[in-house]
Amino acid sequence: LIMVDTTPPNLHEWTLGGCKLPPDHRDYDITKLNVVTLTYYLNLRYARRHGYDLKFYQLQGQGCAHYKCGAGCSHEQYGPRHASYCKVVGLGDALNGGHDWVVFLDSDAFLANASLPLPELISSFGGDLKGNRDDADGSAHGFFGWDWPYTLGPNMGFIALRNTLPMRSLVRDWWNLHPGSFSNSHPYEQHNLHWGLMHMRRFRRRLQTLRLITMDPAAGANAVAHLDHTAGTRNRLWAMVGAAADWLCNPPDGEHCTSKVRESLETLQQPRANWSGWHHARRNKLLRRGGLRVWAEVN
């Protein structure tokens, strides 16, 4: 598993502090928590359960110190590219590492169904894994989440590639294909995949968009949750803290499910929209209380 972002997870800093809550935690604004830290933690738990490696790439290209800098990496011919584009470089580096599979998860995405190892997850959403590593078999070697309801094509929050010659060629061409005006404008690398690579003769039978709707909670997102950045920080935290509570209250981690965490889980499992009629301060207090309970137990 790989993740790529300009901001690193701060689990190390938290650990150095003894995994303690701040002294004034009753008034602590949980939205100050680093979103990348929470998704990294959830993906790390998944990786450990199934014996996978998790590699995090922190981008620091041409003075890039935060998401808004725009240039997270640079192409030797076409120049600086937005941090989103740099996932392609991470995929290439990971494929060179010799793993049988490389799975990219966006820094605001996490594996919500911890029980399914990756091959079962892919096949359960329509992935055809009958082919083998023989580069001549013509089967799909690359799998993507579905971008519905935004587009009918692949979503960039979940990318699973077999380490085969066609997929290494795909990543190399993806990086070197002229980006047009999308080096630093949305939808970045997704544009070349949607309108170029997916239609090339040598790749179109190799790539498959799964029936995995990662960005629509109403449609499930019960395997991979790619948190919509337009949903607001508290909605995103609501989903992640709920996932952490679920981790703690289900085997093999069920022994960590204290009464406080279980109480928080019951609340967090309800759609946050159900609380829209409440006063903002009450909603924020609920999220803060539930979140801090869970993260205290987690750490």
Side-chain angles (χ1 to χ4, degrees), residues 210-230:
L210 303 172
R211 297 191 300 269
L212 175 61
I213 305 175
T214 61
M215 295 192 70
D216 185 3
N222 56 0
V224 178
H226 187 191
L227 304 172
D228 189 345
H229 65 275
T230 66

Side-chain angles (χ1 to χ4, degrees), residues 60-299:
Q60 294 179 321
Q62 297 193 358
C64 180
H66 53 81
Y67 178 80
K68 296 180 180 178
C69 70
C73 53
S74 184
H75 190 278
E76 61 182 8
Q77 182 176 355
Y78 303 132
R81 291 182 168 177
H82 188 274
S84 178
Y85 224 116
C86 305
K87 65 170 63 75
V88 182
V89 181
L91 285 167
D93 183 75
L95 287 170
N96 286 335
H99 298 282
D100 290 338
W101 284 86
V102 171
V103 176
F104 168 81
L105 291 158
D106 208 348
S107 56
D108 57 359
F110 62 90
L111 287 146
N113 188 334
S115 66
L116 290 178
L118 285 167
E120 291 183 23
L121 186 153
I122 292 170
S123 61
S124 66
F125 286 91
D128 181 7
L129 298 179
K130 295 179 181 178
N132 52 46
R133 290 177 56 88
D134 180 3
D135 295 334
D137 66 4
S139 62
H141 290 182
F143 303 89
F144 300 84
W146 190 15
D147 204 36
W148 177 265
Y150 301 99
T151 75
L152 296 178
N155 177 267
M156 299 294 95
F158 177 83
I159 303 171
L161 303 179
R162 280 180 166 172
N163 196 348
T164 61
L165 180 60
M167 293 302 97
R168 292 192 294 273
S169 297
L170 170 80
V171 171
R172 182 171 57 251
D173 289 358
W174 197 356
W175 176 247
N176 289 312
L177 195 63
H178 193 286
S181 61
F182 298 101
S183 280
N184 290 288
S185 60
H186 193 270
Y188 312 111
E189 79 294 336
Q190 189 174 19
H191 181 270
N192 268 347
L193 182 71
H194 274 213
W195 301 106
L197 296 165
M198 296 286 288
H199 304 282
M200 291 183 180
R201 184 184 299 273
R202 64 183 182 275
F203 296 133
R204 61 190 181 193
R205 293 183 60 191
R206 301 291 192 175
L207 304 177
Q208 183 178 358
T209 301
L210 303 172
R211 297 191 300 269
L212 175 61
I213 305 175
T214 61
M215 295 192 70
D216 185 3
N222 56 0
V224 178
H226 187 191
L227 304 172
D228 189 345
H229 65 275
T230 66
T233 300
R234 285 181 172 81
N235 280 321
R236 286 147 59 96
L237 289 170
W238 186 275
M240 287 186 287
V241 172
D246 188 60
W247 262 110
L248 294 173
C249 289
N250 287 286
D253 298 309
E255 66 271 15
H256 299 294
C257 190
T258 66
S259 59
K260 291 183 177 180
V261 171
R262 188 171 298 281
E263 177 187 345
S264 299
L265 176 61
E266 292 173 357
T267 300
L268 291 162
Q269 284 179 332
Q270 302 178 46
R272 190 167 178 266
N274 289 359
W275 308 95
S276 59
W278 288 25
H279 189 276
H280 281 288
R282 175 59 180 165
R283 292 206 313 267
N284 295 343
K285 181 179 180 181
L286 181 64
L287 175 59
R288 181 173 63 247
R289 180 191 302 164
L292 290 175
R293 282 179 181 174
V294 169
W295 291 109
E297 295 297 333
V298 162
N299 288 281

